[in-house]
Amino acid sequence: MTYPYTSYVRMALRFYCRYPEPEFKTAVDEKNWKACELAIKTFKPGDQEILKQVYALPDQIGDNVYQIAQEKGINQEIIWMLMKRLERKIAVLRDLK
């Protein structure tokens, strides 16, 4: 299930995960990046690693989830649930929800 904020938050997460020390072009980009950082730090280190991989890999999100689940030997549903929690936290921090 996707929410109205899903594509926006995923775009922000991809930017965050791919550019750990960015130069921001706009104040909105900076707010999005900082919201991602704040939200992801609320997860355990192992979960943070999984989440960062999902959004940093260049393929489609679903393909990334499948690949990481196979590599880690875990059920894809675990990753989708982590993503849902993270995306919701960011949406709240950015007043999108």
Side-chain angles (χ1 to χ4, degrees):
M1 174 177 204
T2 60
Y3 298 95
Y5 56 79
T6 300
S7 62
Y8 184 87
V9 170
R10 286 182 181 174
M11 178 190 68
L13 278 161
R14 282 191 177 270
F15 181 77
Y16 171 78
C17 292
R18 292 177 182 173
Y19 303 99
E21 295 181 27
E23 290 186 27
F24 302 106
K25 294 182 181 179
T26 67
V28 171
D29 288 343
E30 184 174 4
K31 287 178 184 179
N32 288 341
W33 193 93
K34 288 181 178 181
C36 291
E37 181 175 50
L38 186 61
I40 207 161
K41 287 186 176 185
T42 65
F43 290 81
K44 297 184 300 186
D47 292 344
Q48 287 180 34
E49 177 191 335
I50 289 169
L51 289 163
K52 286 179 180 179
Q53 279 185 288
V54 167
Y55 298 103
L57 291 172
D59 291 326
Q60 297 292 320
I61 294 287
D63 295 336
N64 294 347
V65 170
Y66 175 81
Q67 178 183 337
I68 294 163
Q70 293 299 308
E71 289 173 5
K72 303 268 184 201
I74 60 175
N75 189 305
Q76 292 180 53
E77 199 57 38
I78 293 169
I79 298 173
W80 286 112
M81 293 304 294
L82 288 171
M83 291 170 57
K84 182 178 176 180
R85 286 181 32 222
L86 175 61
E87 291 170 5
R88 184 178 183 87
K89 286 181 182 197
I90 293 166
V92 169
L93 288 169
R94 292 296 288 127
D95 293 322
L96 303 172
K97 172 138 185 31

